[in-house]
Amino acid sequence: MAYLKPQRPEKVTAPSLRASKERGERLVCLTAYDYPTARVVDEAGIDIILVGDSLGNVVLGYGNTIPVTVDEIVSHTRAVRRGVHRALLVADMPYGSYHTSADDAVRVALRLVKEGGAEAVKLEGGLRRAPLVKRLVEEEIAVMGHIGLTPQSVNKLGGYRVQGKTAETARALIEDARALEEAGAFAIVLEVMPREIARVITESVSIPTIGIGAGGHCDIQVLVLHDMLGLTFDKTARFVRQYVNLREVMTDAISRFAEDVRTGAYPSEAESYGLPAEAAAELKLETDNKKSKLEKS
Ligand code: KIV
C-alpha cells in the first residue's frame, strides 16, 4: 500500500520539533498504550507517541481520565518505551499528580522519565500552570502543554464542549499559549477549539501546536489511536476520522475462530504436533499423522 514515508528518519526530540515548525513540516502524533501498538505506530513513522491518560477511556474502561493513576501511566509507558525507537515518547501526568505542589509534580515527572522511559511529560492547563511548567523545565524535564478542552477538568467544565467560542475565552486561550511558551514548554496540545483561534495561537508562538479537534492550521495533528482504528464503544467526536473498524475486524476473526473450534476445523494436523513413528511403535500407539499412515500402508 502506498503511503507518505516519514520526512525525517532520524530520532525525533523535543528541540527538533521547533526546527520542524520553522521548516513548515507537518508532523504526526498518536497515542499508544502498550508494546505492540507502540511498535506499530513507531514503525509506521509517527513522529510523537503519547501515552495519554485517554488510557482511562480506551484501555482501562474507566469512562474518563479522572481515575488514572501515576502507577498506571508508569507501567504503560514502560511497555510503550520498549516498542519505540524513532518517535519522541511523551507521558501524560494524570489528574491529581501535579495539583498538590510543585515538588510533588517534579517527583511524578521524574518517575515518568526515569521509570517509564518518557522523554517528556504533558500536563493540562495554561496560564495558571505556567509557574509549574517553568519549575519542571528548570529540573531538566521537557514539558508539553495542553489547553482548550482539558478532559481532566470535565467535572468543572460540566462536559466535553468546544472551548474558546467567545471573544473573551478565545483571548484567554491565546494568553494561555503564550504563557506556556514563555514558561519553556516545547509544544502545546490545542484540544477542541475553533480553528480560527488555533490558527492565531499557531502563528503567535514559536513552539509547535498539536491539534485535536482544532482544525488544520496546527503544526501537528494528534488522534487517540483507538478512535482512529475504530476500537471504541462510544460515539466518537466529530473530529475523529476512523480509518478502519478494528472492532468489526476483531469480532469477525474471533467469531471465525470460535466457529472453527466448535466444528472441529481447528486445530488441523499442520497446527499440531505428531508423535514420531519410532516412539509411537514403542508405545504401541497409532499415529494421527496422515504421512506416517501412508508410509505404513
Ligand atoms: O490523553 C490523551 O490521549 C491526550 C490527547 C488526546 C492529546 O491528551
Side-chain angles (χ1 to χ4, degrees):
M1 197 190 294
Y3 62 93
L4 260 179
K5 287 259 183 219
Q7 292 163 312
R8 300 172 314 135
E10 73 272 19
K11 175 84 188 84
V12 182
T13 64
S16 76
L17 294 184
R18 190 191 283 244
S20 293
K21 174 167 178 145
E22 280 160 16
R23 289 194 292 267
E25 289 168 4
R26 294 174 71 83
L27 301 191
V28 195
C29 176
L30 273 176
T31 62
Y33 312 95
D34 56 23
Y35 175 77
T37 56
R39 260 197 88 155
V40 170
V41 170
D42 191 55
E43 288 173 8
I46 296 305
D47 305 290
I48 305 170
I49 295 181
L50 169 69
V51 183
D53 60 358
S54 49
L55 172 73
N57 301 77
V58 298
V59 173
L60 299 179
Y62 291 150
N64 62 40
T65 63
I66 304 294
V68 176
T69 66
V70 174
D71 285 346
E72 285 165 343
I73 294 281
V74 169
S75 165
H76 284 267
T77 305
R78 283 164 69 90
V80 168
R81 175 72 281 166
R82 294 189 275 270
V84 175
H85 296 285
R86 175 183 171 271
L88 175 73
L89 176 54
V90 183
D92 239 339
M93 296 190 61
Y95 179 60
S97 70
Y98 55 97
H99 303 71
T100 46
S101 76
D103 285 344
D104 288 348
V106 171
R107 269 182 221 109
V108 170
L110 289 175
R111 276 195 70 193
L112 299 183
V113 172
K114 287 171 71 86
E115 290 177 45
E119 293 157 278
V121 301
K122 176 169 84 59
L123 57 85
E124 296 183 2
L127 190 57
R128 74 184 192 288
R129 297 285 176 222
L132 176 58
V133 171
K134 189 164 184 293
R135 169 76 195 281
L136 291 167
V137 173
E138 277 165 9
E139 307 298 358
E140 322 303 339
I141 298 160
V143 182
M144 179 182 279
H146 183 160
I147 60 173
L149 173 54
T150 47
Q152 291 175 9
S153 315
V154 61
N155 293 326
K156 191 170 147 195
L157 297 173
Y160 300 103
R161 296 195 188 89
V162 183
Q163 302 296 299
K165 280 170 61 173
T166 64
E168 192 192 346
T169 55
R171 266 191 222 106
L173 287 177
I174 297 164
E175 241 186 276
D176 282 338
R178 288 188 179 140
L180 289 172
E181 176 180 31
E182 179 86 16
F186 70 91
I188 313 170
V189 171
L190 308 183
E191 181 160 353
V192 191
M193 64 178 68
R195 52 186 173 270
E196 295 83 355
I197 304 308
R199 179 181 202 159
V200 172
I201 293 174
T202 300
E203 288 171 357
S204 63
V205 294
S206 58
I207 55 176
T209 57
I210 306 176
I212 176 161
H217 301 296
C218 299
D219 300 298
I220 300 171
Q221 293 290 328
V222 60
L223 281 179
V224 168
L225 183 70
H226 290 55
D227 287 346
M228 55 87 67
L229 294 180
L231 192 53
T232 49
F233 298 88
D234 302 321
K235 194 173 171 289
T236 48
R238 82 143 89 164
F239 58 81
V240 172
R241 187 176 294 179
Q242 190 186 295
Y243 286 83
V244 63
N245 190 332
L246 221 48
R247 188 176 164 199
E248 259 175 39
V249 171
M250 289 171 74
T251 303
D252 177 59
I254 292 162
S255 307
R256 286 192 291 119
F257 169 63
E259 174 77 2
D260 284 351
V261 171
R262 289 179 188 128
T263 60
Y266 178 86
S268 67
E269 270 185 16
E271 289 156 333
S272 58
Y273 306 91
L275 185 67
E278 310 81 74
E282 199 178 322
L283 293 166
K284 296 190 180 18
L285 280 177
E286 222 179 288
T287 61
D288 267 1
N289 190 314
K290 279 194 190 110
K291 200 166 150 238
S292 320
K293 279 179 193 150
L294 281 176
E295 276 163 8
K296 265 194 242 157
S297 62

